[in-house]
Amino acid sequence: MYDVNTACEAFKKLLEEQQARIANMNTEKTDFSKKACVTIGVVDGDGIGPIITSEAARVLKKLLADEVEKGTIVIKQIQGLTIENRLAQGKPIPDDVLAEIKTCDVILKGPTTTPHGGTLESANVTMRRELDLYANVRPVSIPEQGIDWMFYRENTEGEYVLGSRGLDLPGMAVDFKVTTDLGTRRIVRAAFEYAKNNGKTHMSVVTKANIMKKTDGKFTTIAHEIAAEYPEITVEDYYIDIMTANLLKEGLREKFQVFVMPNLYGDIITDEAAQLQGGVGTAGSANIGDRYAMFEAIHGSAPRMIERGMGQYANPDSILKAAAMLLRHICRFDAAAKLEKAINDCPLTVKSDGSAATCAQYADKLMEML
Ligand code: IPM
Ligand code: MG
């Protein structure tokens, strides 16, 4: 608990840290089409994580077997990102695990448990910050309803960057939201580049700039500055509240193509969008930075499935979709297309009640189809 003067001191330190972060923002991008050797790290996580990631790793190894043999791809298993180890070490990502992760170019990550309360930060939030994974990219597609959306969620700033560093004062608590010029420019540019390279002509900039005037105001202003470089793309501003309604509005929602938005709004609206597609378990998610990228299932570690002894019935769909996104990111387009086709065409299903195939049976079938 702070008094006002101590709180001001703490706030000053936070501002200085943020200025240092801006000064260290990396802008040199890895070009995977030219990189002689790409290292893929597989991090298994907790609960159903090891079950689904080991199947996804098996599929990746099969798809990339020739390259692994030639030495142009290395696939590394990284242990230790378990809730037991994280709690024992008191670190959201233990130092040795983080060091291993940083020897890779891209990471395929299983779900990790975040304890309620306490002080242990989410491993996801830590990884996004440590690897500067500023773009959270989440596709949602429902072809039969004319929906083909791509969400670009800012992933390192906003409400998250100081989310566990708020201040407690007598009778009140204060949290902070941080939006930087560089941080906004890079996420907005990533969204416009995606639109341009994929023939998209509509961009929605989603904020609450009528209320969060400084931070979201900056986000909107910068988005429009960058939009001027992409005259072929129509840009519309929406507030997050009405956009959550619009996603449910048939006749309107079909026109949306690419969305770009600050962190917390993106967190919320991508769950809504994934639910429309069939549930959060049906979506893969990419966390992309200039140097590193991490691909993950967007669901949790399902501890109750493990308690019930039903872990082998965990559905690997979301992590497999993430693996396909990983392959595209490292420019292995043929392998990505093969995997996506196999996922779409696979006749087996996996159900958490155990009434269909197991995760391993599903992966076996998929491997036959590759
Ligand atoms: C997500 C999740 C995370 C987030 C949690 C696990 C920290 O909800 O990836 O959307 O809030 O970003
Ligand atoms: Mg979320």
Side-chain angles (χ1 to χ4, degrees):
M1 194 77 76
Y2 285 140
D3 61 28
V4 170
N5 284 332
T6 330
C8 288
E9 282 304 310
F11 183 50
K12 180 164 181 263
K13 187 159 168 263
L14 293 179
L15 293 179
E16 286 165 355
E17 275 176 33
Q18 290 305 302
Q19 281 178 324
R21 182 173 66 85
I22 300 172
N24 285 325
M25 273 187 192
N26 181 18
T27 48
E28 209 179 311
K29 276 199 167 65
T30 307
D31 181 351
F32 285 102
S33 68
K34 300 215 175 80
K35 202 162 188 295
C37 174
V38 178
T39 304
I40 303 174
V42 179
V43 181
D44 47 15
D46 308 308
I48 60 169
I51 299 169
I52 58 172
T53 45
S54 64
E55 297 306 332
R58 211 152 61 89
V59 171
L60 277 182
K61 280 180 192 149
K62 168 138 197 211
L63 278 165
L64 299 171
D66 289 349
E67 288 214 68
V68 170
E69 191 166 322
K70 273 193 298 180
T72 51
I73 298 255
V74 172
I75 302 180
K76 254 192 198 183
Q77 191 69 42
I78 299 175
Q79 315 279 349
L81 198 67
T82 59
I83 185 66
E84 295 79 11
N85 195 29
R86 287 181 287 134
L87 284 173
Q89 309 227 10
K91 296 223 159 150
I93 305 182
D95 295 344
D96 55 334
V97 179
L98 186 59
E100 267 295 284
I101 287 173
K102 286 188 172 171
T103 65
C104 303
D105 297 295
V106 289
I107 300 290
L108 186 68
K109 179 187 154 295
T112 39
T113 304
T114 306
H116 295 284
T119 52
L120 195 71
E121 189 179 49
S122 140
N124 270 38
V125 172
T126 309
M127 200 178 300
R128 290 167 185 171
R129 190 180 55 238
E130 288 292 332
L131 305 184
D132 204 16
L133 307 175
Y134 60 83
N136 193 317
V137 182
R138 295 183 166 173
V140 165
S141 148
I142 317 170
E144 60 283 13
Q145 292 177 24
I147 290 175
D148 186 11
W149 295 331
M150 184 58 96
F151 293 89
Y152 272 74
R153 160 188 174 189
E154 202 293 318
N155 209 24
T156 45
E157 308 202 323
E159 304 76 358
Y160 280 65
V161 66
L162 296 173
S164 46
R165 310 276 304 278
L167 303 177
D168 265 324
L169 286 92
M172 71 171 153
V174 184
D175 276 319
F176 303 105
K177 168 163 174 164
V178 181
T179 298
T180 67
D181 289 23
L182 283 177
T184 305
R185 277 202 193 102
R186 62 187 186 175
I187 183 66
V188 172
R189 184 157 311 279
F192 274 98
E193 280 297 301
Y194 167 81
K196 185 176 110 185
N197 295 332
N198 290 276
K200 307 290 181 191
T201 53
H202 190 272
M203 177 74 68
S204 305
V205 178
V206 185
T207 66
K208 189 74 184 173
N210 51 340
I211 303 301
M212 295 278 103
K213 290 179 188 293
K214 294 286 179 279
T215 48
D216 287 358
K218 178 186 283 301
F219 196 94
T220 308
T221 306
I222 290 180
H224 283 275
E225 276 167 30
I226 291 180
E229 296 172 39
Y230 299 83
E232 67 288 2
I233 299 171
T234 307
V235 182
E236 288 191 283
D237 291 323
Y238 290 91
Y239 296 135
I240 180 65
D241 48 350
I242 193 62
M243 190 48 114
T244 59
N246 286 346
L247 290 195
L248 304 179
K249 198 164 176 184
E250 286 168 33
L252 174 69
R253 62 185 180 180
E254 302 77 11
K255 83 163 176 180
F256 301 129
Q257 295 179 343
V258 188
F259 304 76
V260 65
M261 62 195 81
N263 210 339
L264 184 59
Y265 311 138
D267 176 44
I268 297 167
I269 208 168
T270 54
D271 269 15
E272 182 194 13
Q275 186 58 39
L276 291 170
Q277 176 182 256
V280 291
T282 63
S285 168
N287 297 264
I288 296 178
D290 289 333
R291 166 74 184 89
Y292 298 103
M294 183 265 279
F295 300 81
E296 61 181 336
I298 85 167
H299 53 72
S301 57
R304 273 180 293 262
M305 279 189 84
I306 299 294
E307 278 162 27
R308 285 190 285 122
M310 298 295 276
Q312 75 269 32
Y313 293 104
N315 190 346
D317 240 26
S318 179
I319 192 110
L320 287 167
K321 284 184 186 162
M325 292 173 92
L326 180 154
L327 290 168
R328 269 189 202 288
H329 183 73
I330 60 170
C331 302
R332 269 49 179 193
F333 301 108
D334 289 348
K338 262 193 210 164
L339 176 53
E340 282 157 355
K341 184 166 179 350
I343 297 171
N344 278 332
D345 296 350
C346 187
L348 297 186
T349 52
V350 182
K351 295 205 177 116
S352 55
D353 63 3
S355 64
T358 63
C359 179
Q361 286 164 344
Y362 179 90
D364 283 341
K365 185 76 202 163
L366 211 69
M367 306 232 312
E368 257 173 63
M369 297 171 66
L370 291 176

